């Protein structure tokens, strides 16, 4: 369903778009999402996955100077490819005097200016630190946009919108009363009114590339040894975990007036296997979307615990009061709210690893606490652990380091606030500029700085499907 238009900047009214009618998600998969607020499903074919992996490798090299087969020598260049807020980091100096890295750069014909001129945006994080959780500010490569406009991915999202969220203008009182009849559907309510579940827009998001913790620590150690001043006795790794958090502000969740977008379902497509805990992968609290409202009304309280001398959990007193009687709301940063290791200890204890196979899509309700593993300690690869041709091909393309790679991609329902959001997002895309709205944890200077990405947006637009054009906001639904 390729577009044959030759005027890429022309927006026209198109005939109604008819997606395939068959349901992609089974009743049991729908039920899993309703119950857990999380769903993992296969998405990409082997060919599509390989194409995306090759695209990632090319993007990391051309835009960041990072060779996935030589992370020890080039991985340090990731330190300015992210502006995420959350996990800790350190400020990366614009020069590295390490003889080994300098020689590696000289051998590859590069120079230190690559760090400044060829990194995706050249911005520091909102805290002034360097890289955090492996979330990279790379938005527009053609291969990534292809995944973000995948028809199957959108149709799955449409099914979940229809089954898990009010879309006929139901009132909060109606949904609360439904729980009296033995089925609690109150979690489906939102303040954005009725919408057509078959229409929506893409939310242009970033990439995730989490290198193994041992490599991140070694690079951090080497950088720390060559810094003239250090802020801590122990150098920090260049990547750390993203602490469990919400991508929403609990106290204003049901207030439509304060929002610049509504994204009820978050999603990523994994380009690598992440089947084991402590390998940098996705972690979450299944089912919490049903507890979210009561938790918020209770001052973000669950029973906070601490271990006594016998190793048993007991209620923890805060300033002489038990947490159940003393609310402790943590501040929201835009739509980012992290969980506190003391106040939210019981909730954090419920965080669990979510296994994901390469090529799968992971959907989760935005009221689900989530993050990624504290460490990425990938299992050592050997001939015996490469079980099939696809695994062997992946190792050839992505290398054998065990880095985790995902494409963050989700959709926005066709409601008023999202229509306004998409117009601004489209302007940024056309200008190849970092998105300016949407709480992507990016610090913006007062400028129209171009991203520096090598992607040709005109060529991408010419290759978009009819659905892709609508999802991007180029054409009306």
């Amino acid at each position: 369903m390729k577009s044959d238009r030759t005027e890429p900047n022309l927006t026209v009214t198109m005939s109604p778009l008819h997606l395939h009618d068959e349901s992609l998600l089974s009743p049991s998969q729908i039920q899993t999402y309703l119950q857990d607020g999380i769903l993992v499903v296969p998405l990409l074919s082997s060919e599509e996955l390989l194409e995306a992996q090759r695209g990632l490798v090319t993007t990391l090299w051309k835009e960041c100077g990072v060779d996935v087969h030589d992370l020890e020598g080039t991985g340090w260049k990731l330190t300015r490819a992210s502006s995420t807020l959350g996990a800790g980091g350190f400020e990366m100096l614009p020069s590295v005097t390490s003889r080994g890295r300098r020689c590696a750069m000289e051998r590859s014909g590069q120079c230190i200016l690559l760090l400044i001129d060829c990194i995706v945006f050249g911005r520091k994080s909102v805290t002034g630190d360097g890289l955090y959780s492996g979330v990279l500010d790379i938005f527009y490569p053609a291969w990534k946009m292809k995944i973000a406009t995948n028809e199957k991915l959108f149709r799955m999202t449409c099914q979940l919108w229809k089954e898990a969220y009010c879309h006929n203008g139901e009132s909060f009182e109606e949904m609360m009363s439904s729980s009296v009849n033995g089925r609690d559907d109150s979690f489906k309510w939102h303040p954005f009114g009725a919408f057509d579940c078959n229409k929506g827009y893409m939310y242009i998001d970033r990439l995730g590339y989490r290198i193994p913790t041992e490599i991140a620590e070694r690079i951090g150690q080497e950088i720390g040894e060559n810094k003239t001043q250090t802020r801590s006795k122990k150098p920090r790794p260049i990547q750390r975990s993203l602490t469990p958090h919400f991508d929403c502000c609990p106290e204003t969740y049901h207030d439509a007036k304060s929002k610049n977008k509504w994204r009820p379902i978050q999603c990523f497509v994994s380009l690598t296997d992440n089947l084991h805990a402590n390998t940098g992968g996705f972690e979450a609290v299944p089912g919490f979307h049903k507890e979210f409202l009561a938790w918020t009304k209770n001052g973000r309280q669950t029973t906070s615990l601490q271990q006594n001398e016998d190793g048993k959990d007991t209620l923890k007193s805060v300033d002489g009061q038990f947490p159940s009687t003393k609310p402790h709301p943590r501040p929201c940063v835009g739509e980012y709210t992290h969980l506190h290791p003391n106040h939210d200890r019981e909730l954090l204890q419920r965080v669990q690893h979510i296994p994901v196979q390469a090529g799968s899509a992971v959907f989760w309700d935005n009221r689900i606490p989530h993050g990624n593993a504290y460490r990425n300690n990938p299992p050592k690869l050997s001939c015996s652990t490469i079980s099939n041709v696809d695994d062997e091909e992946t190792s050839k393309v992505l290398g054998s380091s065990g880095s985790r790679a995902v494409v963050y991609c989700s959709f926005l329902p066709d409601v008023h606030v999202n229509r306004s959001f998409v117009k601004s997002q489209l302007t940024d895309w056309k200008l190849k500029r970092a998105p300016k709205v949407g709480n992507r944890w990016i610090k913006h200077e007062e400028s129209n700085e171009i991203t520096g990405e090598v992607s040709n947006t005109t060529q991408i637009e010419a290759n978009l499907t009819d659905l892709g054009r609508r999802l991007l906001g180029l054409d009306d639904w």
Side-chain angles (χ1 to χ4, degrees):
M1 194 166 63
K2 296 282 185 181
S3 173
D4 58 0
R5 289 178 179 76
T6 58
E7 307 86 8
N9 293 321
L10 179 63
T11 300
V12 297
T13 301
M14 302 175 66
S15 59
L17 180 65
H18 298 286
L19 302 179
H20 298 291
D21 293 332
E22 69 269 18
S23 297
L24 288 173
L25 299 178
S26 67
S28 62
Q29 288 173 322
I30 294 291
Q31 186 57 40
T32 295
Y33 184 81
L34 291 173
Q35 183 64 33
D36 295 343
I38 304 170
L39 180 65
V40 182
V41 293
L43 177 71
L44 302 180
S45 66
S46 297
E47 293 76 15
E48 291 171 327
L49 176 60
L50 186 58
E51 178 186 5
Q53 291 171 340
R54 287 171 172 163
L56 172 67
V57 170
T58 300
T59 295
L60 290 176
W61 173 247
K62 288 186 176 181
E63 297 187 11
C64 302
V66 174
D67 181 355
V68 299
H69 300 280
D70 182 24
L71 291 177
E72 294 280 0
T74 65
W76 62 275
K77 297 173 187 176
L78 290 167
T79 51
R80 280 196 172 181
S82 176
S83 59
T84 54
L85 173 66
F90 61 85
E91 185 173 0
M92 173 65 184
L93 295 181
S95 62
V96 177
T97 59
S98 163
R99 184 169 181 267
R101 298 202 198 291
R102 186 170 63 249
C103 292
M105 291 166 58
E106 290 171 353
R107 286 195 301 269
S108 62
Q110 299 177 46
C111 67
I112 197 66
L113 292 177
L114 180 64
L115 179 61
I116 300 174
D117 296 332
C118 203
I119 289 300
V120 183
F121 297 131
R123 291 195 181 93
K124 293 182 181 180
S125 72
V126 291
T127 61
D129 289 336
L131 187 62
Y132 292 117
S133 58
V135 181
L136 308 182
D137 294 335
I138 298 176
F139 296 95
Y140 305 131
W143 65 270
K144 179 179 176 294
M145 295 290 286
K146 185 175 181 180
I147 292 178
T149 57
N150 183 287
E151 181 179 334
K152 288 174 60 179
L153 187 69
F154 179 63
R155 287 167 53 204
M156 290 177 182
T157 303
C158 290
Q159 277 188 264
L160 295 177
W161 284 343
K162 182 177 181 180
E163 298 295 337
Y165 304 91
C166 295
H167 52 274
N168 293 317
E170 297 91 335
S171 69
F172 181 69
E173 289 73 22
E174 287 179 282
M175 300 311 296
M176 289 298 292
S177 64
S178 70
S179 62
V180 177
N181 301 320
R183 186 182 67 179
D184 184 3
D185 286 338
S186 60
F187 68 93
K188 297 183 179 181
W189 188 82
H190 59 84
F192 296 95
F195 65 95
D196 186 338
C197 295
N198 293 314
K199 298 179 180 180
Y201 307 96
M202 65 183 298
Y203 176 72
I204 300 178
D205 214 330
R206 296 174 297 186
L207 293 177
Y209 188 70
R210 176 92 181 271
I211 65 177
T213 301
E214 288 187 359
I215 297 178
E217 289 174 339
R218 284 197 293 270
I219 295 175
Q221 177 70 32
E222 191 169 346
I223 292 174
E225 291 174 353
N226 288 283
K227 291 178 65 174
T228 57
Q229 294 181 346
T230 59
R231 290 186 292 176
S232 63
K233 294 182 179 180
K234 182 179 179 181
R236 299 179 181 179
I238 63 168
Q239 289 185 342
R240 299 174 69 191
S241 64
L242 183 60
T243 185
H245 65 280
F246 297 96
D247 287 314
C248 66
C249 188
E251 281 68 37
T252 63
Y253 186 82
H254 289 107
D255 177 14
K257 296 180 181 179
S258 63
K259 306 297 189 300
N260 59 29
K261 73 175 186 303
W262 177 49
R263 183 175 56 139
I265 300 176
Q266 297 176 241
C267 176
F268 67 76
V269 174
S270 185
L271 304 187
T272 52
D273 283 336
N274 191 246
L275 304 176
H276 307 287
N278 301 315
T279 54
F282 185 62
E283 298 183 338
V285 182
F288 192 76
H289 62 309
K290 292 188 173 183
E291 306 173 40
F292 180 85
L293 179 59
W295 177 76
T296 302
K297 285 185 174 181
N298 195 34
R300 301 193 199 176
Q301 289 291 329
T302 54
T303 305
S304 296
L305 303 174
Q306 68 176 0
Q307 286 190 340
N308 58 25
E309 294 179 356
D310 298 328
K312 296 180 180 180
D313 286 333
T314 59
L315 283 173
K316 182 177 181 180
S317 174
V318 178
D319 296 334
Q321 299 186 48
F322 287 107
S324 58
T325 63
K326 185 174 181 178
H328 56 266
R330 311 302 303 169
C332 302
V333 180
E335 292 185 355
Y336 174 88
T337 306
H338 80 279
L339 297 182
H340 193 279
N342 292 326
H343 294 302
D344 301 305
R345 183 178 172 194
E346 184 186 13
L347 187 54
L348 288 169
Q349 288 178 340
R350 293 168 56 185
V351 173
Q352 58 184 265
H353 171 70
I354 308 298
V356 181
Q357 286 188 321
S360 296
V362 181
F363 302 93
W364 71 97
D365 186 284
N366 74 333
R367 294 163 291 185
I368 294 290
H370 63 281
N372 56 37
Y374 181 69
R375 294 183 65 86
N376 179 9
N377 297 331
K380 301 298 182 181
L381 291 180
S382 64
C383 294
S384 60
T385 59
I386 299 178
S387 57
N388 54 50
V389 175
D390 290 341
D391 290 339
E392 184 177 359
E393 191 66 32
T394 294
S395 181
K396 290 179 181 178
V397 174
L398 294 180
S400 58
S401 68
S403 297
R404 174 188 182 240
V406 301
V407 174
Y408 295 101
C409 48
S410 52
F411 301 97
L412 308 173
D414 184 30
V415 297
H416 176 72
V417 66
N418 288 340
R419 288 191 286 271
S420 298
F421 174 88
V422 167
K423 289 180 180 178
S424 177
Q425 179 177 254
L426 180 60
T427 299
D428 293 330
W429 177 76
K430 286 182 175 181
L431 293 175
K432 296 175 65 176
R433 180 175 64 193
K436 287 197 170 184
V437 293
N439 294 295
R440 294 172 175 89
W441 307 344
I442 299 173
K443 179 182 179 181
H444 297 292
E445 291 78 14
E446 296 299 323
S447 68
N448 291 324
E449 182 180 356
I450 305 302
T451 65
E453 293 189 33
V454 298
S455 306
N456 186 325
T457 53
T458 301
Q459 184 62 40
I460 292 174
E461 185 173 344
N463 292 332
L464 286 171
T465 63
D466 288 348
L467 172 62
R469 295 182 63 86
R470 286 178 166 88
L471 293 175
L472 191 54
L474 285 165
D475 297 319
D476 295 331
W477 279 96

